[in-house]
Every structure is written in C-alpha cells, then in structure tokens.
Amino acid sequence: MPEIGEVARIVHYLHKHLVGRTLAVVKAQHDENVFGKVGTSAAEFEKALTGKRVVDAKQQGKYFWLVMSAPPHPLFHFGMAGWWKIRDLETAYYKPSKPEEAVWPPKYCKFTLETSEEPKSEHAFVDLRRFGRIRLVDCPGDGMRNVSPLKENGPDPVIDKEILTEEWLVQKLQSKHVPIKALLLDQANISGIGNWVGDELLYDAKIHPEQYSNTLSPGQMKQLHRSIHYVCSTAVELLAESDRFPKEWLFKHRWAKGKKDAPQRLPNGEKIKFVTVGGRTSAIIPSVQKKTGEVAADVKGQDSDENENEDEDEDEDERKPNPAKRKAKKIEDGNEDRPKPKLGKYQAKQDDGEVEHMATAKPTRRKIKTGKKDDEGEEAVTDIKTATPLKGKDRVVKEEGLEGTDTEVQAHVNGNTNNKSLPCREEPRKQNAAKLSVQKEETEASSGRRRSTRVAGATK
C-alpha cells in the first residue's frame, strides 16, 4: 500500500509535470467502488476538470489532491494498489516482477488527463484492486484540510511538525489503551503511517508493536516521537526510493515472509519474526523490541508471555516443534500424565473417576401397545405422554424391563450389543437370559429329533 513516502513521490511528479498546465482532455471510466462509494461519478469528474488549470498539488498523509483554478477540487487516495502513471515516464520506484505492457491508456485505468500545452503531458490513475477513492470537494483551494475526510485525519508528521510535538504525542498515547502499532495505523491519530513505516519506526524506537500505548515509559514515548519524525521525513525526502534508505533499516530485510530460501534475519544475525497486530502483519526483531509493559492478549502469531530472550541462533522450526510431537516427548520423559481419553456421548465420569455408560441423556420414551392395527397391518404403539402413534424404529416397545434408547433396547434384547452397563433391572435381565437358554436347548433338541427321523427314513 502506498504510504507517506510513496504519496510524496507522486506529488513530486505532479509538481513537475502537471501543475501550471490546463487540462484539455479528461476521460473517466466509471467505477462504482472508486467513484461511487464516495458520492462521485465519472461523468461529474470529467465535467469538473475539463478546461481548468492545475494550480497546485498537495498532500496530507496518504491523501493528495489537485488545487484547480476553480472548485471543485479532486481528492485522491490510492487504497491498496492504486497508482498515478505518466506516459513515457516511470513514476513507480518498485518495479513489478513481470514487465508491464507498454500500452496507453494503461490497464485498470480509472481516468486519463491530457494537457493542452506543449509538450503535452498525459496522466492516468490506475487501480487493480479498486480500493482507491476519487472525490470532488467543493470548497476554496486553501480550505481542503478543513473539510471531510481530511479534517477527521490526524496531523501529517512531515507537514505538521509544529502540531505533532512530544507533548501532543504523550497525551495521545496515554489517552488510549490499544496496541501501539494499531494506534499508529489509525489515520485518525496520525496521517500517513502505514504498515512498513509503522514497523520501521517501532524498530527504531525499540518498542514492541503489541505493547499497549498507555504502558510506555516516558523514555519510550520520547524516543517514539523522534523515530516518527526521523522515519517519515527520511521516506519523504528520498521519495520512497528504498535503495537510498539507511542500510540499517528493517525495510531492506522485512519482505522475506512466505518466500522460499529468503533469509529471515538481519545481516548481523538477529532474527526477524512476524506477528499480527491491528489486523496487519508486523515484522519485529525480538532481541531489540522487548515487551516492557502490558500487551494485547489476542494477538496472532506469538504468545503474549513468550520468552523474548531465547536463543536467537536457533532455527524457528527447532524453537517451535510440532505441538503433537512436543506433547508426546513430555509423556515419554514422564513429565506429564498420559492424556485421558475423551468421554463419549453416552459416558459420564463418576465421583471415583470411573467411567459409566449411559443409555442416553434424554428421558426414555414410555410406550404402550394399543391392541389395534396401524395402516401397515402391524400392532399399533402409542406414546403415553403425547398419545401419538409411533412408527418405524420409534415403535420398539420397552421389553423385559430394559430402559434406554429404542435402538439400544432392541439391540440388547436381540443380544447384539457389547454394552454390559445398559441401565436395567437385574432380575428381568437374568430371566431373559434363562429364557433364551431354554429356547436354545429346545431348538437344539428339536433339530436332533428331525435328524434322527431323517436317518431312520433313509435306512428303511
């Protein structure tokens, strides 16, 4: 995302190639996100700018605008991936991995401008992801910062140095109880600080991004004020040209996350770690950015009570083994009791620690045979409480004093269950077992008599 330095770079190019010129041709392609979400349309944009002279170009944080010879004035925000292009001139310092096609108007273009003076200068606003915003503000040119949305944003660290004083910052920090990184990213507090600038100035100030703003010491707040002005001013002065950034900056080494074979350490060997703060991935140097106060407990990527002094020479995979393997190792070493199996749906733990089986947690359905036939010719069964006829598996009747779910009771009656603890009255169970034994003996005896009869008949 373009931040304070990248926006300053575009304002620099606007002063060189657009300010003082008249817009002869303005063509806009309507986009409901880029124009519509802020109450503007492509047609209104074309009408408002065509034939007018560009008097000035200005910036506040991530916003920039053109001061026209008459209002309204266009106000721009790049969002996540917006950019300003000038024909036959490379305005972007960060080159894409794949060369772009040399076509004009460029892909993902939202509008183009063409000046009337020679040599003509052609400009385009592009936005692949459509998070950028283009507004028309109807106010005097020198009053843009007094209207929305600029008036709701905090001071710019470079333009408003007389506002963003150490005393102002201390009051801001102490008035809020949020992670310091989240406070810095909130444009309502300070304009222009984005993800990489926030990481850079916190590294320079030796402050952990998770730490709550109102827990910083006076010395930390003093250093943070210096770091904000130092990092932001340097980025703006160098027009975000990272090759010219100081060699000790984190910026030059923070982009390794998720890339194979990319070193995740500084040249001096200090480990780079990544955590999520304020919804954004933050790069930190744990050996430098210590937690000295209360920190956010709901931060992803790292426990709040993590030991920051652990050996930084260890590889991350060695320092964070697989949790399952780590637990297994503890058990082998005897440092932890073996895990207890989870209770099943029909199990409960008694006071003595034993597990008992329960037929069901639901009350048993009480049923009676009505002596009548149902529609399918079977003997009808009715629920006593609701007096509703039961069908299918629900019509299984409580037999032999057993109580449980219908399927469990029937399985137990048929001898198809291993659940020996199904709640029931012991005597009926014994009676049922004896009955089944007698039936088995009678069946075997009957089979024997039939075999004898067949043998005798065959002999005759």
Side-chain angles (χ1 to χ4, degrees), residues 258-275:
K259 297 181 180 179
K260 284 188 176 181
D261 303 323
Q264 296 194 2
R265 295 179 183 272
L266 296 180
N268 62 6
E270 292 177 326
K271 181 77 174 178
I272 302 174
K273 296 193 69 175
F274 298 93
V275 296

Side-chain angles (χ1 to χ4, degrees), residues 112-178:
T112 59
L113 309 174
E114 184 179 326
T115 62
S116 58
E117 294 84 359
E118 296 291 343
K120 291 184 178 180
S121 181
E122 295 182 62
H123 301 247
F125 185 103
V126 297
D127 188 3
L128 165 65
R129 299 186 64 182
R130 303 172 64 211
F131 288 115
R133 297 293 181 261
I134 301 172
R135 294 171 168 85
L136 290 173
V137 181
D138 193 356
C139 72
D142 58 358
M144 288 286 287
R145 298 189 66 183
N146 298 324
V147 298
S148 295
L150 298 180
K151 70 176 183 179
E152 284 83 19
N153 282 283
D156 183 296
V158 177
I159 301 172
D160 302 317
K161 290 183 178 180
E162 72 285 355
I163 297 176
L164 211 165
T165 62
E166 183 180 334
E167 293 74 19
W168 181 93
L169 182 63
V170 169
Q171 183 179 4
K172 178 69 68 174
L173 297 175
Q174 292 180 339
S175 67
K176 297 182 180 294
H177 185 68
V178 295

Side-chain angles (χ1 to χ4, degrees), residues 30 42 44 90 121 219 242 253 306 331 379 388 428 430 442:
H30 186 69
E44 291 172 335
E90 185 58 69
S121 181
S242 58
H253 314 282
E306 180 182 352
I331 294 173
E379 187 172 7
T388 55
K430 291 180 179 179
E442 292 177 351

Side-chain angles (χ1 to χ4, degrees), residues 270-438:
E270 292 177 326
K271 181 77 174 178
I272 302 174
K273 296 193 69 175
F274 298 93
V275 296
T276 302
V277 187
R280 304 294 301 277
T281 298
S282 300
I284 65 169
I285 309 300
S287 60
V288 174
Q289 297 167 264
K290 305 290 185 179
K291 299 173 182 176
T292 61
E294 185 182 2
V295 299
D298 58 346
V299 176
K300 298 178 182 178
Q302 187 178 13
D303 294 334
S304 294
D305 59 351
E306 180 182 352
N307 181 7
E308 301 290 3
N309 296 320
E310 60 188 286
D311 187 359
E312 293 299 326
D313 292 330
E314 290 183 280
D315 290 331
E316 189 169 4
D317 291 339
E318 295 176 349
R319 283 167 44 182
K320 290 190 176 182
N322 183 294
K325 293 181 180 179
R326 185 168 60 238
K327 195 170 186 72
K329 188 176 186 305
K330 287 184 179 180
I331 294 173
E332 291 175 3
D333 296 340
N335 296 329
E336 184 174 321
D337 294 334
R338 292 188 176 276
K340 298 178 176 60
K342 293 184 179 179
L343 296 180
K345 183 176 180 180
Y346 298 117
Q347 293 177 317
K349 189 174 182 180
Q350 299 179 349
D351 293 339
D352 58 3
E354 295 295 324
V355 174
E356 86 172 325
H357 293 267
M358 301 182 296
T360 179
K362 298 180 180 179
T364 304
R365 190 176 246 171
R366 313 286 293 187
K367 309 164 186 178
I368 60 170
K369 295 180 179 179
T370 62
K372 300 179 181 180
K373 300 290 184 180
D374 59 17
D375 296 339
E376 299 176 357
E378 298 183 6
E379 187 172 7
V381 179
T382 303
D383 190 313
I384 294 177
K385 290 186 178 181
T386 63
T388 55
L390 303 177
K391 295 184 179 182
K393 67 177 183 179
D394 290 335
R395 70 185 306 279
V396 176
V397 183
K398 183 178 70 172
E399 296 188 33
E400 302 298 336
L402 298 177
E403 295 182 359
T405 62
D406 296 332
T407 52
E408 286 177 332
V409 169
Q410 188 67 6
H412 194 83
V413 171
N414 294 338
N416 297 328
T417 181
N418 294 323
N419 187 356
K420 304 302 182 183
S421 301
L422 185 68
C424 64
R425 291 189 291 276
E426 188 65 24
E427 192 59 32
R429 183 193 296 174
K430 291 180 179 179
Q431 293 175 1
N432 186 54
K435 181 179 177 180
L436 292 174
S437 178
V438 171

Side-chain angles (χ1 to χ4, degrees), residues 424-458:
C424 64
R425 291 189 291 276
E426 188 65 24
E427 192 59 32
R429 183 193 296 174
K430 291 180 179 179
Q431 293 175 1
N432 186 54
K435 181 179 177 180
L436 292 174
S437 178
V438 171
Q439 289 176 351
K440 182 177 180 181
E441 292 175 358
E442 292 177 351
T443 301
E444 292 176 350
S446 176
S447 299
R449 286 194 297 270
R450 284 196 295 272
R451 282 197 300 273
S452 298
T453 303
R454 285 197 297 271
V455 171

